Amino acid sequence: MELAEILRTLWSRKLVIVAIVALAGGAAFGAGRLAHSTPTGTANVQILVDSPQSALADLLQNTVPLTTRASLLAQVMASQAVLEDVAATAGVPVGQLTAQGPYGGSGRALDVITPSEARDSQLLGEQARYRLTFVAQPDAPVVTASVQGSTALAAGRVAEAVAPGVARYIKALQRQGATKPARRVTLRQLGPAQVGIVNSSSRLALTAVGGLGVLLLGLLLLLAVASLRRRPAGKEEDHEAPYEREHERDLAAVG
Amino acid sequence: MRASAALLLVAALAAALSGYDTSLHPRAVGIGAASAKVLIDAKDSELTVAPPLGAYRANLAGQLAITYALYLQGDQATAELGRTLGLQGARVAATGPFTLLLGRANVAAKTPSIANPIPVDRAHRLVLDVDGVNPVLTLYGQAPTVAGAVALVDAARGLLERHVTARRSSYPLGPEQAAVLRPLGPTVGGLVDPGAHWQTMAAAFLLVLVLGGGLLLARRRRTLSGPAPALSGSAPALSGPAGALSGSAPALSGPAGGDWPHTTRLLPWALAGFVAMLFLVPFDALDLPVGLPLNSNADRPFLVILVALWLLSMAVLGSSARPHLRLTRVHLAAVAFFAVCCIGVALNGAALANMDEVTLVLKKLALLASYLVFFFVVASALRAREVPRFAAMIVVLGSVVAVATVVEYRLHFNVFYELWSKLLPVAKPADLDAPDSIGRLTVYGPTSQPLELAALLAVVLPFAVMGAIDSGTRRRRLLYSLAIGLLLAGGVATSRKTSLVAPAGAVALLLAYRPRAVARSLLGLGMVLVVLVHFTSPGALGSVLNQLEPGHVDGVLSTTDRTARYDAVLPDVMRHPLLGRGFASYDPHKYRILDNEYLGLLITTGGIGVALYAAILVAMMSLAHATIRGGDARRSSLALATLAAVGVVALASALFDVLSFPHVPYLLFFVAGMIVALRERLPLAARARPRGASRRSSPPAGLRHGDHLSLPSRRRIQRSSGEPAQPSPARLAGG
């Protein structure tokens, strides 16, 4: 089908074109609605794993064991037990939270390709509204928690709940084990959560991509149907193998 | 009408039968998943006590976590879990820990295995994971239902707790020493593929509908039009002694503007420049110092120039010199594929944004659009007369790349990256000219992957082979034979299995159409080629052949890793079986390197996307096939080369993610443009041949004797291949 013919076909079916464009517009709107839950907020918070008499102020205290403890805590933070406490503190349903990590320090090895069974769990967390990632610093007793949420405000709220949530879980354990106050591990949040905006143009891009896809598919379908309708009637020659027939006539003329 | 109704009924029946609920026995279509974590701790929790108590004990507990992970994989534990879950004498499948990469076939020596009396139920699978440092054991369960997966993980955790309690009570320890298992929250789970049943049914419905509809349509067309002599290879009227391109010069004066390279038209020159860039510039690693949306690689501005020239040509030039846009089945398949990719991305947009993958996907969609735009430009701008010249140019460029590849293999000097880095900022690959995990040298050439380089050279090979077969002079045959040797040597220098597998696929396709001519030509060249390849790339041929030996081909890591992926990506495939998770969203650096375009597309574009990708390749090959059988010797040879080149890409798509590396896809779509151009209708001037004008004596206009691929008449091909000669059309027409 040649360009002029394509344009003729499209022009002769103006109503269908309008319907396709309307459908594409609807698809774009739908894609925009689907992308409405796109997370656009992010927040980071740092947590220092410390002892009651802070290691930062004590020249004699070795920080290496605290660093080891931070690495372990980063793993425990990604567990369901801690997430429940974080969710309770932030006031969001625990089902909306998913956690990854740790991807730093000695936990770096966890960032590996996963078999089918472990990939299942990652897939289940793909749709969660809040994604929490924990990174333990390799040389310092600090865990960085990153939260991605629907808005910057919501992400910030959950990030602010991480340190109290983890502390709540630890305190419950300390009460259970009757740990003496002087020996208790202490978590200190290093300043308020830093919030920012991500994926700001994603919604628009996804809307455009959705509309474009439906528009192209609709036009293709229209052209395919038009082409199929014409062929049996013999109104249009086979445009993909024309030269043989022309050649045949040509050769006959030579003869 | 009746046939259509019957087809709909059959399709619906197929859909119903493919569904879960209507089958006689429930099949494991659903994937239930669950996971839980356990902390190996002491009575006085490691988490609660400040140092210095913990560090050493935590380290020991980390080692204990590995022991527990291995215990739960034992025969006794897995059989007990099978009993707990009621698996009727079967045990669960347990593996891990994957973080420590235990159990890799080429690391651990294989020992003879004893036949196990208890069968393994592969539908119930348990993976135990530890990182080797921290005392946290993670249990992952997979079963046909969510309840089954949760029960599996709970049972494993309970079994481990009972085991540890029993050991602890048999040898009393102090509170500081005794290990305590501390569950880190409840077991959580869910259904990985909630809509899989419906989507599988829809896929079955569509498949039957498309196949049945195609059959009905073909039958209808045959009924209406009768036999199609024009497309039949043995149609006497088409078996001219010379091709349509080889008429007398005055009669065949080309359309306005002349044919490349004897033309002042800018567009074919720009196309030639673009093709030269594909072979000579590592443009994928070359970031231009200008900011462009999504990507600043060198191909984008070049493409913008091409499109601008194309639009200008459409607007300014006369009808005969203007690019000739026609929609073929290749265009339709390609645009449909792009549209489906867009829809898939839009449908899964929220999850993609959640995983921070939207930017990547948009970049890849833009790259896909670039391939399509390039194809549209090539297919409309290229003329049939120009195809042999471009084919010759591709062979020359491929030979240059092959020589540079051999130089890189022998001297560890990458000509392309080194030279271009002196002009523009080039991101050199970190492993350039370094050995890979199994000791093969990483040779890149102008590409960004040795596999891509091997495929690029393999795509060129059919053009060289057909050039050698159809050469009119000894000198030309020698040059083409040298090109074949260089292309093979260059491919082998990449030390990848693909360097032999892909050319073998191309040769098989050529053999299928011209068995005698191709076999005779290659057998004659065989010994010379082996010696040439061996001397230019010493050791490489042996290395590749060694990888392909029966004992090695399925044992080497590059093969076992590929096969291991089929199971590992099942959840990703089943989560979105129809439209996938979003085109190119499965980042190999983030998830897993698949080395298989079909598998990657199955995950990212679903079954429909894979079908449309295959449809693009099939459409290209079917168009080329029609030209091969068309009866014009010149076009037939070129079409055969293009068909084999597309076949190489189809084969290479099973060996690596072709669409991620732009050199090969751009070349594929250029070859597709050649295929479309070869189907071009003759210009009126060419058709108005004067009576009695000789078709043999004079070369076509703009195509002098010995100009590029100098193809012989069909009769000469028939003589050389031993195929029976057919009478000339003039004679058949009574001339």
Side-chain angles (χ1 to χ4, degrees), chain B residues 103-353:
Chain B
R104 292 192 78 148
N106 66 333
V107 176
K110 280 185 178 172
T111 51
S113 55
I114 304 160
N116 200 321
I118 310 174
V120 178
D121 182 344
R122 302 255 166 223
H124 290 80
R125 305 199 298 192
L126 182 69
V127 165
L128 296 315
D129 195 40
V130 291
D131 66 0
V133 177
N134 291 304
V136 177
L137 172 67
T138 308
L139 300 95
Y140 298 101
Q142 192 183 78
T145 61
V146 181
V150 172
L152 174 58
V153 171
D154 281 342
R157 194 153 62 167
L159 177 65
L160 185 63
E161 278 171 2
R162 286 198 300 278
H163 173 74
V164 171
T165 308
R167 297 297 125 227
R168 204 169 47 209
S169 59
S170 68
Y171 189 82
L173 297 165
E176 292 284 308
Q177 286 174 281
V180 171
L181 295 185
R182 207 177 291 283
L184 294 173
T187 303
V188 288
L191 195 62
V192 177
D193 52 348
H197 294 158
W198 292 109
Q199 292 192 44
T200 310
M201 288 167 75
F205 181 80
L206 284 176
L207 185 70
V208 173
L209 202 65
V210 168
L211 289 179
L215 283 174
L216 281 179
L217 199 68
R219 195 171 140 230
R220 194 175 166 196
R221 282 172 69 179
R222 180 181 283 187
T223 313
L224 284 171
S225 60
L231 290 176
S232 151
S234 58
L238 293 177
S239 54
L245 290 172
S246 56
S248 61
L252 277 175
S253 60
D259 296 325
W260 186 83
H262 311 289
T263 180
T264 50
R265 285 155 55 226
L266 283 177
L267 199 52
W269 282 106
L271 283 179
F274 197 94
V275 174
M277 181 195 73
L278 294 183
F279 283 91
L280 303 178
V281 183
F283 62 88
D284 201 23
L286 200 148
D287 263 330
L288 295 178
V290 288
L292 293 172
L294 294 175
N295 208 325
S296 298
N297 289 346
D299 56 323
R300 303 306 161 85
F302 210 146
L303 201 61
V304 170
I305 294 170
L306 264 183
V307 173
L309 276 175
W310 185 80
L311 290 173
L312 207 65
S313 306
M314 293 289 264
V316 172
L317 294 181
S319 62
S320 59
R322 187 187 297 160
H324 203 63
L325 183 64
R326 286 177 301 150
L327 273 192
T328 65
R329 60 193 86 162
V330 184
H331 292 82
L332 292 178
V335 175
F337 177 67
F338 181 73
V340 163
C341 289
C342 288
I343 291 171
V345 167
L347 282 177
N348 210 30
L352 292 176

Side-chain angles (χ1 to χ4, degrees), chain B residues 475-622:
Chain B
R475 179 174 154 273
R476 192 161 289 273
R477 186 185 295 264
L478 191 71
L479 285 174
Y480 273 115
S481 302
L482 185 66
I484 295 172
L486 287 173
L487 289 168
L488 285 175
V492 166
T494 62
S495 307
R496 296 301 186 271
K497 294 190 286 289
T498 306
S499 66
L500 286 189
V501 174
V507 171
L509 280 171
L510 296 179
L511 278 170
Y513 280 90
R514 300 261 179 91
R516 292 185 190 173
V518 174
R520 193 178 298 166
S521 171
L522 288 181
L523 281 178
L525 280 171
M527 279 310 294
V528 182
L529 288 180
V530 170
V531 172
L532 182 68
V533 170
H534 182 70
F535 275 96
T536 49
S537 310
L541 187 59
S543 163
V544 178
L545 287 173
N546 188 40
Q547 291 173 54
L548 290 168
E549 279 176 10
H552 294 170
V553 70
D554 54 350
V556 71
L557 195 60
S558 61
T559 306
T560 54
D561 269 5
R562 279 190 172 98
T563 51
R565 286 163 201 146
Y566 303 144
D567 176 71
V569 301
L570 187 67
D572 285 282
V573 173
M574 292 307 289
R575 193 159 174 83
H576 308 285
L578 267 191
L579 284 168
R581 75 195 297 273
F583 176 68
S585 62
Y586 195 82
D587 184 1
H589 303 296
K590 191 171 172 183
Y591 301 110
R592 139 190 319 266
I593 297 170
L594 296 173
D595 275 340
N596 186 328
E597 189 61 60
Y598 299 113
L599 196 56
L601 286 175
L602 190 61
I603 294 171
T604 57
T605 62
I608 294 178
V610 176
L612 284 172
Y613 178 68
I616 296 173
L617 299 175
V618 170
M620 289 176 187
M621 292 173 89
S622 70

Side-chain angles (χ1 to χ4, degrees), chain A residues 1 5 9 13 220-237 239, chain B residues 210 213-214 216-218 220-221 224 332:
Chain A
M1 197 179 275
E5 201 180 337
T9 306
R13 290 164 174 79
L220 273 184
L221 208 63
L222 172 64
L223 288 174
V225 169
S227 175
L228 283 177
R229 274 190 176 179
R230 281 188 193 178
R231 274 188 191 175
K235 287 179 185 169
E236 183 191 47
E237 62 186 79
H239 57 269
Chain B
V210 168
L216 281 179
L217 199 68
R220 194 175 166 196
R221 282 172 69 179
L224 284 171
L332 292 178

